[in-house]
Amino acid sequence: CPDTLTGLRDAALLLVGFSGALRRSEAANLMVEGLKFDVRGCVLSLGRTKTDQAGENDEVAIPSSPSAYCPVKALKKWLRASGINDGAVFRKVMKSGRIASGALNPRSVAEIVKSKASLAGLDPAEYSGHSLRAGLATSSAKANKPYHKIKQQTRHRSDAMLMTYVRDAELFEDN
């Protein structure tokens, strides 16, 4: 992602979306008022989601990292550069450089994922807005993270649904 407003937004969106295992609608609807930063990272309050209409289990921890790909640093950099202090976190950046007042459309999240996959030399047809969520679950399973911790981060209610991601990650393990 280039060091432009759009690039900063896209980097923050991809890193936060992946590390939070966010659905595209959750990323698009993320609000500044729902961010709580501390020395460990950032807690996202998602509010009402697809599987939590009451918004009861809406918090997701995004840990800080010393890596160049730290989602918390990317998010802070985007918010600082954009001047966004309230409302939607991820917004359209106009060609003029002006930041829109409303949230990105969830379809825009999918388009950003596809665009960045293409720039990385990957087939964009194999990626979607859901790739952020699926990617976290799959890579966590490949890294042998405990399933209960993966499920906690992805907010899957059933083991069966989580296993649809994990099965693909483990297909060649111990085979």
Side-chain angles (χ1 to χ4, degrees):
C1 296
D3 197 24
T4 62
L5 278 175
T6 302
L8 294 174
R9 182 214 48 211
D10 293 352
L13 175 68
L14 294 173
L15 292 168
V16 170
F18 176 85
S19 59
L22 300 181
R23 295 176 178 90
R24 65 185 189 161
S25 61
E26 293 167 347
N29 294 325
L30 193 60
M31 302 298 278
V32 172
E33 295 80 3
L35 306 177
K36 289 184 261 177
F37 293 97
D38 71 24
V39 295
R40 299 167 296 172
C42 183
V43 175
L44 314 178
S45 292
L46 303 178
R48 293 172 47 157
T49 65
K50 176 182 170 186
T51 56
D52 184 11
Q53 290 294 306
E56 295 170 345
N57 301 307
D58 69 338
E59 291 191 331
V60 177
I62 307 295
S64 291
S65 162
S67 162
Y69 303 106
C70 175
V72 178
K73 288 178 195 163
L75 180 56
K76 286 180 176 180
K77 191 173 182 180
W78 157 244
L79 291 172
R80 221 176 10 260
S82 66
I84 295 172
N85 297 312
D86 58 12
V89 171
F90 298 115
R91 306 174 186 193
K92 182 175 182 174
V93 178
M94 309 297 188
K95 289 181 182 176
S96 66
R98 189 176 65 80
I99 309 291
S101 59
L104 277 180
N105 183 299
R107 282 184 307 253
S108 298
V109 174
E111 291 167 6
I112 291 167
V113 170
K114 286 179 168 293
S115 169
K116 297 307 175 191
S118 180
L119 287 172
L122 304 169
D123 181 359
E126 294 182 17
Y127 294 87
S128 70
H130 191 69
S131 296
L132 301 173
R133 184 171 168 78
L136 184 278
T138 303
S139 59
S140 295
K142 283 183 177 180
N144 295 316
K145 299 297 179 189
Y147 289 167
H148 74 279
K149 294 303 285 183
I150 300 171
K151 193 173 165 185
Q152 175 185 330
Q153 191 69 357
T154 62
R155 299 159 324 279
H156 280 103
R157 293 192 177 202
S158 74
D159 291 341
M161 186 53 73
L162 176 61
M163 292 309 291
T164 62
Y165 299 100
V166 174
R167 183 182 62 235
D168 291 342
E170 294 182 340
L171 191 60
F172 287 95
E173 298 301 316
D174 298 323
N175 187 339

